[in-house]
Amino acid sequence: MENASSINRKHLAWIERIPGQYWAVAILLLLMPLFAGDFVLFQIFGWTFILGIIALSLMFLAGYGGMVSLVQMSIAGMAGYILAIFGDSAVSQVSQGWPWYLAIPLALAIACLFATAVGWLAVRTEGIYTIMITLAIAAAFFYFTRQNYDMFNGFSGFNSVVPPALFGVNWRDPVAFYYLSLFWATVSFLAVLYLSRAPFGLALQGVRDNPRRMAALGYNVTAHRVAAYAFSGLLAGVGGILLTWQSTQISPGTIGIGAAIDILVIAVMGGLRHPIGAFVGAFVFVLLKTFASDFLLILGLGGERFQLLIGLGFLAIVYFSPDGILGLWAKLRNWQKRDHLLEHKERDL
């Protein structure tokens, strides 16, 4: 009885450590379909969760490993392409029509292998050279898919790539897809949060801070970095499959250089110091991407200049807080906790 009571106390203590605002956000997200429309559920939040998962893969590499990669959208696209090639699509002359329980694991496995191969090359460089080599791989993959018609169907890509109707549910229904993307976003977030506190994650952070010392302590620095790329590839692969299902298509335009840079913008905008920053940045990015052109038209400007508004928003956030929106929030909380009256008196003295 004592053992059971102690276990219950431990579970209650773990629950009590979760801040109240986290519970409020969780309840709000779970109840969102009760008061939000289909457009908000499918386009705003669904897209936010998907981009957040892909940006989370970059946040894991950059925040915990100190490695900035511009190939995460390419890895996500690889998963989407493999799903379309070996699963079902409207391009029947290329797609193999394998069942989902074979096509999805294969897509994730190849995404991980692709990320591992990229990591094996990239971890031998540092700083700007890592960024350049991952950008070069992303560009090469983009042009390869656009010019290859036998496997990737060239410029057109694949369409009518839809999720399987499991349990009799149409998973492209706005409410169903909202919960599907929310579930995998939550799983991805918790996985990164757990791994960051596991021995591997702590060793990876040590490698980030002082690789020579970690090597002297007996840690294989290269292996840890490559393993981090492999895990990030799994996250990006999940996001890529969801992205393909949401738009029902995958093409070279999905994995272009602009899309690769968008993932970097999302991760930096949200903040690289905490996994939740990827989803915060994704939410702001989706809002800007969706409504920026309408806002510009209201001001009498050309709606095609919406990228300018997104860029200005990104520059403003980074200028005032290098840690992104989470950094701004931390500064605001610290400012509220300060005793401004006492500071005023000290200046007078």
Side-chain angles (χ1 to χ4, degrees):
M1 292 296 293
E2 291 182 0
N3 291 334
S5 61
S6 63
I7 292 174
N8 290 332
R9 283 196 299 270
K10 289 181 180 179
H11 284 295
L12 290 175
W14 178 81
I15 294 174
E16 291 172 355
R17 284 199 300 268
I18 301 176
Q21 57 266 31
Y22 281 40
W23 289 111
V25 171
I27 294 173
L28 177 64
L29 291 175
L30 287 174
L31 299 180
M32 184 70 68
L34 296 179
F35 51 85
D38 290 348
F39 176 80
V40 173
L41 294 176
F42 188 81
Q43 185 65 27
I44 302 298
F45 282 98
W47 199 17
T48 293
F49 295 142
I50 293 169
L51 292 180
I53 293 172
I54 301 173
L56 182 64
S57 69
L58 173 56
M59 177 272 149
F60 179 78
L61 286 175
Y64 296 126
M67 300 171 289
V68 179
S69 169
L70 290 180
V71 78
Q72 300 309 113
M73 181 55 85
S74 300
I75 297 171
M78 174 65 83
Y81 266 115
I82 296 301
L83 179 69
I85 292 170
F86 289 94
D88 292 313
S89 78
V91 188
S92 57
Q93 64 270 24
V94 178
S95 297
Q96 302 299 305
W98 290 13
W100 66 268
Y101 51 82
L102 294 178
I104 293 176
L106 180 63
L108 294 176
I110 293 181
C112 286
L113 288 175
F114 182 32
T116 303
V118 172
W120 186 81
L121 293 172
V123 298
R124 287 162 172 76
T125 61
E126 293 182 1
I128 187 65
Y129 300 103
T130 303
I131 297 175
M132 293 306 297
I133 194 172
T134 54
L135 178 60
I137 294 172
F141 184 63
F142 165 72
Y143 286 111
F144 177 73
T145 57
R146 196 170 71 169
Q147 297 170 4
N148 182 289
Y149 283 86
D150 293 333
M151 179 175 291
F152 295 97
N153 200 36
F155 184 83
S156 300
F158 298 85
N159 52 26
S160 298
V161 185
V162 296
L166 296 178
F167 312 111
V169 177
N170 176 17
W171 292 104
R172 286 204 78 252
D173 177 79
V175 175
F177 190 82
Y178 170 82
Y179 281 120
L180 178 66
S181 56
L182 173 62
F183 172 79
W184 286 111
T186 304
V187 171
S188 300
F189 171 77
L190 294 177
V192 170
L193 203 61
Y194 171 79
L195 197 59
S196 67
R197 301 174 183 179
F200 170 75
L202 296 175
L204 183 64
Q205 294 170 63
V207 168
R208 173 201 63 193
D209 297 334
N210 197 329
R212 290 186 179 180
R213 186 172 184 179
M214 292 299 289
L217 291 173
Y219 289 91
N220 190 325
V221 172
T222 300
H224 277 78
R225 287 174 171 171
V226 173
Y229 266 93
F231 176 72
S232 75
L234 178 62
L235 294 178
V238 171
I241 290 174
L242 291 173
L243 182 63
T244 303
W245 282 344
Q246 186 195 36
S247 58
T248 70
Q249 63 88 32
I250 181 71
S251 67
T254 308
I255 57 172
I257 303 302
I261 295 176
D262 285 345
I263 297 301
L264 178 62
V265 169
I266 290 170
V268 175
M269 187 185 298
L272 292 173
R273 293 193 173 187
H274 195 280
I276 199 65
F279 297 99
V280 173
F283 181 65
V284 174
F285 178 84
V286 168
L287 289 179
L288 289 173
K289 194 86 169 180
T290 305
F291 300 109
S293 58
D294 296 333
F295 180 73
L296 289 174
L297 290 174
I298 292 174
L299 296 178
L301 301 174
E304 69 277 1
R305 299 179 180 177
F306 68 95
Q307 292 284 10
L308 175 62
L309 193 60
I310 295 175
L312 291 176
F314 172 73
L315 289 176
I317 292 172
V318 174
Y319 176 78
F320 289 105
S321 173
D323 295 330
I325 296 174
L326 290 184
L328 286 175
W329 177 250
K331 287 182 178 180
L332 178 62
R333 293 183 62 183
N334 292 333
W335 182 83
Q336 290 177 337
K337 291 179 181 178
R338 289 162 55 187
D339 192 335
H340 300 283
L341 180 61
L342 181 60
E343 290 180 356
H344 180 71
K345 289 181 179 179
E346 289 176 350
R347 285 196 299 267
D348 292 341
L349 292 176

